[in-house]
């Protein structure tokens, strides 16, 4: 994978269904401060992304945050991070697969309803699994294409919409009963799902040209550009939509309001392209988390088995596709995105904390952060601040998910590996 491939992977990982569906929810939580809420959560993600840049500057293998945590804190913490990173990606994959049909139903009314959306989700997941089975290069080329195609309607929405913005709406107060800080925290947490995905870039380091240079550069610029674009999109949405707090398909409705039905349909097409572009990225990366756990002996080695012809982790690709299809059947976009938000910090906080430790134990990185431990500390504190916005049920589910992963790892180490050794 080239630098362009990595940037495309990062853009597709970050910009997906979320920016088309979440602006109304962010507005309901933060009011006139909703544009600043994107800056708040985006700023924290950028600090976390910088930590990823330094840790990725030492890595030339697949695995991303799992490898960073394992190298810094040992096997069990590494397994915990790798497992939660895998589950967060599975939740996101399933969420956007379901959201794909929901976006497309704006243009194809026959897709309204759960059954046709589930069928479409399964078909998309199966198709992308087949594509990535044949090699990472076809998947990367698809990701490059959609990273460019999805930006056209978003940039047109911003370019035209800025001419019609009612700038007085930016001065609206926070929702009743909320302080400015609470509005930023709640709005930022609502926006989190749309800001995650930058961590996909370092996962494929083992298949990237000059990874110590290309991975940090791609991650930083993809994340910074996406966050700034989100801020402007939110400003246009809240400044042009007739009733931003009650929007169902926020950007398409706002576009139709300020430029007519043709623009609404054009943005709706963009939402479909964006969703599919995200799916190409997450389908490419998610199996690599599972194969990395198998490669390092944390789970059965069968998950690391590669196809002799294409060199891809074929078993991991098949397993993740089956699990995602199951998630798409039993949960919708909103539920799966909530579960993703609850799980995603499990890979962010350990990566930030790993930075100063890896500096001592692994030597210099190709990308070293300035200001000593300041950026990792600020990133960690920012994650803790937004962790307060997680619902109790989602937090319990995340703890249970972590316990399952650690139990599987413990059982494999206690019984599975011993059985393999005895058989050998």
């Amino acid at each position: 994978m080239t630098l362009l491939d990595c940037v495309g992977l990062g853009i597709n990982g970050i910009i997906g269904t979320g920016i088309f569906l979440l602006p109304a929810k962010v507005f309901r939580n933060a009011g006139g401060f909703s544009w600043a809420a994107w800056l708040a959560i985006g700023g924290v993600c950028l600090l976390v992304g910088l930590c990823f840049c330094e840790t990725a500057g030492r890595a030339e293998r697949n695995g991303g945050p799992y490898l960073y945590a394992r190298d810094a804190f040992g096997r069990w913490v590494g397994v915990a991070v790798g497992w939660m990173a895998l589950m967060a990606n599975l939740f996101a994959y399933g969420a956007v697969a379901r959201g794909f049909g929901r976006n497309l139903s704006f243009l194809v009314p026959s897709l309204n309803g759960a059954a046709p959306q589930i069928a479409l989700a399964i078909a998309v997941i199966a198709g992308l699994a087949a594509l990535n089975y044949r090699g990472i290069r076809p998947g990367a080329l698809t990701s490059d294409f959609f990273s460019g195609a999805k930006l056209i309607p978003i940039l047109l929405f911003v370019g035209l919409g800025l001419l019609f913005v009612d700038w007085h709406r930016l001065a609206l107060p926070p929702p009743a009963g909320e302080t400015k800080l609470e509005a930023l925290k709640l709005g930022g947490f609502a926006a989190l799902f749309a800001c995650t995905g930058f961590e996909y870039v370092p996962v494929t380091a083992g298949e990237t040209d000059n990874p110590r240079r290309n991975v940090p550069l791609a991650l930083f610029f993809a994340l910074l550009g996406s966050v700034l674009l989100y801020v402007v999109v939110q400003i246009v949405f809240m400044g042009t939509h007739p009733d931003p707090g009650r929007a169902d398909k926020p950007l398409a409705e706002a576009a139709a309001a300020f430029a007519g039905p043709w623009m609404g349909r054009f943005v709706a097409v963009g939402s479909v392209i964006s969703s599919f572009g995200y799916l190409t990225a997450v389908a490419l990366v998610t199996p690599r988390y599972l194969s990395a756990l198998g490669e390092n002996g944390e789970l059965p080695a069968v998950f690391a088995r590669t196809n002799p012809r294409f060199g891809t982790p074929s078993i991991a690709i098949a397993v993740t596709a089956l699990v995602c299809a199951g998630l798409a059947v039993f949960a919708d976009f909103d539920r799966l995105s909530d579960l993703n938000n609850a799980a995603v910090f499990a890979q962010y906080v350990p990566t930030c904390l790993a930075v100063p430790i890896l500096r001592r134990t692994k030597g210099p990185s190709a990308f070293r952060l300035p200001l000593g431990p300041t950026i990792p500390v600020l990133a960690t504190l920012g994650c803790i601040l937004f962790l307060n916005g997680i619902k109790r049920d989602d937090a319990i589910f995340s703890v249970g998910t972590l316990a399952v992963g650690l139990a599987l790892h413990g059982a494999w180490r206690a019984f599975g590996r011993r059985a393999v050794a005895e058989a050998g």
Side-chain angles (χ1 to χ4, degrees):
M1 293 177 67
T2 65
L3 176 60
L4 178 62
D5 292 334
C6 291
V7 172
L9 184 64
I11 291 173
N12 274 331
I14 300 167
I15 301 178
T17 297
I19 190 55
F20 291 93
L21 298 179
L22 291 175
K25 184 177 180 180
V26 176
F27 181 82
R28 287 193 295 270
N29 288 348
F33 289 86
S34 57
W35 65 272
W38 286 100
L39 279 179
I41 191 63
V44 170
C45 287
L46 188 58
L47 292 174
V48 174
L50 288 172
C51 295
F52 270 81
C53 286
E54 175 162 333
T55 51
R58 298 183 181 87
E60 295 185 351
R61 294 178 294 156
N62 290 348
Y66 153 66
L67 289 179
Y68 314 150
R70 188 175 187 268
D71 289 343
F73 304 110
R75 177 181 298 275
W76 283 93
V77 176
V79 170
V81 171
W83 177 260
M84 293 304 288
L86 171 64
M87 295 309 299
N89 279 272
L90 290 171
F91 295 145
Y93 194 176
V96 179
R98 281 294 299 270
F100 179 71
R102 178 175 162 185
N103 283 324
L104 189 58
S105 67
F106 187 87
L107 302 169
V108 185
S110 61
L111 288 174
N112 278 311
Q117 291 176 16
I118 289 172
L120 180 61
I122 293 173
V124 169
I125 291 168
L128 290 175
L131 176 66
N132 288 307
Y133 172 82
R134 295 185 60 84
I136 194 170
R137 184 61 190 172
L141 288 173
T142 304
S143 182
D144 291 346
F145 169 77
F146 281 102
S147 66
K150 74 169 63 175
L151 292 177
I152 296 174
I154 297 177
L155 292 176
L156 184 59
F157 172 82
V158 168
L160 288 179
L162 284 173
L163 301 176
F164 298 92
V165 169
D166 178 1
W167 296 99
H168 294 92
R169 293 191 184 182
L170 273 65
L172 291 174
E178 291 183 9
T179 65
K180 293 180 181 179
L181 179 60
E182 289 172 337
L184 291 176
K185 185 176 72 172
L186 294 175
F189 187 77
L192 175 61
F193 183 77
C195 294
T196 60
F198 59 86
E199 66 276 8
Y200 295 167
V201 177
V203 175
T204 56
E207 296 159 279
T208 299
D209 301 334
N210 192 8
R212 293 192 177 189
R213 170 185 173 273
N214 288 344
V215 168
L217 285 176
L219 189 154
F220 178 79
F221 286 112
L223 179 58
L224 178 62
S226 298
V227 169
L228 293 178
L229 181 60
Y230 285 173
V231 172
V232 182
V233 167
Q234 183 71 29
I235 290 173
V236 172
F237 162 70
M238 63 185 288
T240 60
H241 195 286
D243 191 357
R246 296 185 179 182
D248 179 51
K249 296 178 177 64
L251 300 197
E253 293 171 4
F258 68 71
W262 72 270
M263 185 61 180
R265 289 190 291 270
F266 187 72
V267 171
V269 171
S271 71
V272 173
I273 293 175
S274 184
S275 298
F276 192 77
Y278 177 91
L279 289 170
T280 65
V282 73
L284 185 68
V285 169
T286 303
R288 273 72 187 179
Y289 281 104
L290 182 57
S291 65
L293 290 170
E295 181 181 345
N296 288 283
E298 320 297 13
L299 292 176
V302 67
F303 294 122
R305 186 177 299 171
T306 58
N307 181 275
R309 178 180 178 185
F310 301 113
T312 53
S314 53
I315 302 298
I317 290 172
V319 170
T320 54
L322 288 172
V323 173
C324 286
L327 290 172
V329 170
F330 293 107
D332 62 10
F333 171 83
D334 293 328
R335 178 58 177 157
L336 290 172
S337 62
D338 285 343
L339 294 176
N340 170 267
N341 284 350
V344 74
F345 284 117
Q347 56 185 310
Y348 289 176
V349 173
T351 298
C352 298
L353 295 176
V355 170
I357 296 175
L358 293 177
R359 286 174 180 173
R360 297 195 305 268
T361 60
K362 295 294 182 179
S365 169
F367 181 93
R368 182 180 175 87
L369 295 175
L371 306 176
T374 303
I375 292 176
V377 169
L378 290 176
T380 302
L381 293 176
C383 289
I384 293 172
L385 174 65
F386 283 103
L387 273 170
N388 291 330
I390 293 178
K391 298 176 183 177
R392 183 174 179 272
D393 290 345
D394 292 338
I396 293 173
F397 188 90
S398 295
V399 172
T401 301
L402 175 60
V404 169
L406 293 178
L408 289 174
H409 170 67
W412 167 245
R413 287 185 59 82
F415 305 108
R417 296 178 67 177
R418 183 185 306 167
V420 171
E422 292 175 353

